Each structure stands twice: as structure tokens, then as C-alpha cells.
Amino acid sequence: LMPHPRPRRVFIDTPKGRINAGFTVPAEADAADVSMALRRCGWAPYRLRLEPEQHAWVAVVIDWKRAA
């Protein structure tokens, strides 16, 4: 049997630290898939980074409330 790849967690980097986005994406998801999932949750990502050793995607988002 082939092992199933682990889903990847999604985190958001904030000025106060890293928070969990509250969902995972399949291991084969690419940056566009992660970006669209974040947008559906109300985030505005502008940079994504894959951390394969952590099985995670990390997003830097635009915080419109702080920017205003």
C-alpha cells in the first residue's frame, strides 16, 4: 500500500505571530489553490510560502483594518 500524503496546514503570519487559518489543503495543492481558499475565508493573501518540513503553507496577508 502506498501511504497517503499528509494534508498541509495553512497558517497566517501576523505582527503578533503565526495563527492557524483553520483549514488544511491537500498535499498536491499549489499556491493558487491556497490563495483561493484564503480568499474564500475573507483573507487577502499577497505572499505564500511552502514549508515542506512542517507540512504547511504560510501566508502573509493584507490587513485592511490595520492599514486604514
Side-chain angles (χ1 to χ4, degrees):
L1 294 172
M2 285 182 47
H4 291 272
R6 290 173 49 180
R8 296 191 189 274
R9 295 173 291 168
V10 180
F11 294 98
I12 299 165
D13 270 344
T14 70
K16 294 185 178 183
R18 189 174 284 184
I19 61 171
N20 191 334
F23 63 91
T24 61
V25 294
E28 63 274 2
D30 63 9
D33 298 327
V34 177
S35 178
M36 292 307 294
L38 284 164
R39 289 178 188 280
R40 283 192 294 272
C41 292
W43 295 101
Y46 69 89
R47 186 175 11 165
L48 290 166
R49 157 176 94 252
L50 177 62
E51 293 185 353
E53 64 283 350
Q54 300 296 321
H55 298 283
W57 282 94
V58 179
V60 177
V61 299
I62 298 171
D63 186 351
W64 294 110
K65 292 176 190 162
R66 253 186 89 136

